[in-house]
């Protein structure tokens, strides 16, 4: 951490504005703390009208309730109508691997797939399949709200949420060699950037969309923001909770919800869950 403070101080001292006419010795300019790596991301379905409406329906279905003799209960039925008759289920597990691929658990009826999503979310250890479906419907609604949707390399080009590109091994080595106090989970993908709501000195044209950026060890206790380290040090806080003008920094390892058009309507065709 002391090394980081030195790097941050050096970055700020050398990052002051310089008049255009002034000649600068390149050897005196502090190099950036980390390389610029922008993931090759397909987001071609993020604003697709039909799929966007379908994803909004999934989010609403995540809050559906039904009146029972026990009072109002969450109702999986509306969510089940949005799933394909058979849904392929994928899982990825294991810590420490650089590139953790998904493994298919095969095709499952919609109700069973929703139950599996609930159980693997570890929201409850209930033996009741309906109770687990209720946890599953919340999980799927959360995945449906992810902003980047497109053909993801993590799932053989399926149209899925969290469609961010993959790091190459040389790119990861370059990141890891710069900020060694971070593991891969300490890096984020700059997915949605609300520049006007950032607190701190925001460098020009940073972060680029889908750029890998490091989470700062300095975070506000009050929450509501995420501190990110800019290339020459310090911390810029982005509003990431509460309010319409918020930024979103995705994790590199994500769960995914995948879609297909079947009979002229969009359906959830696959669920891919990270288990760690």
């Amino acid at each position: 951490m002391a090394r980081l403070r030195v790097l941050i101080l050096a970055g700020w001292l050398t990052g002051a504005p310089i008049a255009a006419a002034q000649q600068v010795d390149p050897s005196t300019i502090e190099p950036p703390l980390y390389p610029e790596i922008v993931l090759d991301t397909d987001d071609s379905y993020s604003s697709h009208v039909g799929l966007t409406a379908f994803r909004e329906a999934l989010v609403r279905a995540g809050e559906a309730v039904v009146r029972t003799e026990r009072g109002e209960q969450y109702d999986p039925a509306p969510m089940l109508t949005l799933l394909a008759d058979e849904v392929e289920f994928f899982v990825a597990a294991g810590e420490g691997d650089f590139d953790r691929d998904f493994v298919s658990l095969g095709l499952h009826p919609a109700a069973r797939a929703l139950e599996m999503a609930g159980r693997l979310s570890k929201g409850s250890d209930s033996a009741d399949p309906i109770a687990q479906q209720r946890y599953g419907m919340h999980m799927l609604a959360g995945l449906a709200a992810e902003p980047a949707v497109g053909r993801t390399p993590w799932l053989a080009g399926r149209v899925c949420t969290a469609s961010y590109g993959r790091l190459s091994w040389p790119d990861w080595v370059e990141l890891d060699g710069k900020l060694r106090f971070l593991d891969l989970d300490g890096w984020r993908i700059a997915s949605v950037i609300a520049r006007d709501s950032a607190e701190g000195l925001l460098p020009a044209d940073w972060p680029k969309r889908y750029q890998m950026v490091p989470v700062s060890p300095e975070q506000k206790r009050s929450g509501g923001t995420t501190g990110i380290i800019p290339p020459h040090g310090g911390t810029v806080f982005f509003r990431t909770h509460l309010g319409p003008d918020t930024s979103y920094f995705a994790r590199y390892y994500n769960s995914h919800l995948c879609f297909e058009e079947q009979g002229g309507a969009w359906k959830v065709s696959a669920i891919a869950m990270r288990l760690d």
Side-chain angles (χ1 to χ4, degrees), residues 151-193:
R151 297 196 178 277
T152 173
W154 293 98
L155 290 158
R158 288 175 173 83
V159 176
C160 305
T161 59
S163 55
Y164 308 107
R166 299 178 75 159
L167 279 171
S168 68
W169 176 248
D171 281 347
W172 167 236
V173 169
E174 191 172 6
L175 283 178
D176 184 54
K178 291 293 185 178
L179 292 177
R180 290 189 175 276
F181 67 93
L182 292 177
D183 59 19
L184 190 49
D185 198 49
W187 294 87
R188 294 290 185 272
I189 305 166
S191 182
V192 177
I193 306 301

Side-chain angles (χ1 to χ4, degrees), residues 220-245:
K220 293 184 177 181
R221 291 186 178 181
S222 58
T225 61
T226 300
I228 301 294
I229 302 173
H232 284 89
T235 298
V236 175
F237 290 97
F238 292 87
R239 188 183 306 135
T240 49
H241 302 284
L242 306 176
D245 189 23

